[in-house]
């Protein structure tokens, strides 16, 4: 039996939210390896520790689908923005206000 962060049983086809990033997806596989339970989420096709996801119920899914915006965090986009910022060259030859 695979349990979520709130000790609720997770089964195939359930929808879960990864608590660190808010990623929501359908559970397409589960496994236990070395005493640790894992769930695979369809949207990302990645494995998550079951204790780091929370089982969603119907009202959570309806609220998510009725949102106008997309609240999920795009990790790849954030990494690219971070790299772009790190690679930005600082220049002291910038326009200055008169005075």
């Amino acid at each position: 039996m695979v349990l979520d962060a709130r000790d609720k049983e997770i089964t195939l086809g359930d929808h879960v939210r990864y608590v660190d990033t808010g990623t929501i997806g359908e559970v397409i596989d589960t496994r236990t390896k070395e005493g640790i339970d894992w769930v695979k989420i369809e949207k990302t096709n990645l494995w998550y520790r079951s204790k780091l996801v929370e089982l969603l119920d119907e009202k959570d899914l309806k609220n998510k689908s009725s949102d106008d915006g997309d609240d999920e965090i795009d990790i790849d986009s954030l990494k690219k923005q971070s790299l772009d910022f790190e690679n930005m060259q600082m220049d002291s030859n910038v326009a200055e206000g008169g005075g």
Side-chain angles (χ1 to χ4, degrees):
M1 178 184 334
V2 177
L3 303 176
D4 76 345
R6 297 177 288 183
D7 293 326
K8 293 183 179 181
E9 184 178 2
I10 301 172
T11 58
L12 295 180
D14 284 341
H15 285 81
V16 294
R17 177 187 306 120
Y18 180 54
V19 295
D20 288 345
T21 62
T23 299
I24 293 174
E26 181 181 345
V27 175
I28 57 173
D29 200 0
T30 62
R31 71 176 175 193
T32 301
K33 188 173 182 179
E34 298 177 9
I36 299 172
D37 295 327
W38 298 86
V39 295
K40 189 173 188 178
I41 298 179
E42 179 182 29
K43 180 174 185 168
T44 60
N45 207 35
L46 297 174
W47 289 94
Y48 298 84
R49 289 183 69 160
S50 69
K51 288 296 186 177
L52 298 178
V53 300
E54 54 189 7
L55 189 63
L56 299 176
D57 55 21
E58 290 299 319
K59 71 177 176 83
D60 293 327
L61 293 174
K62 287 180 185 174
N63 287 341
K64 178 65 181 168
S65 64
S66 66
D67 288 346
D68 293 334
D70 188 2
D71 293 336
E72 293 187 32
I73 298 171
D74 183 354
I75 298 299
D76 291 330
S77 175
L78 289 176
K79 286 179 183 177
K80 183 182 180 320
Q81 288 175 1
S82 175
L83 285 174
D84 289 346
F85 184 73
E86 287 176 12
N87 293 331
M88 182 184 354
Q89 292 185 0
M90 299 300 284
D91 191 354
S92 60
N93 296 323
V94 296
E96 296 180 6

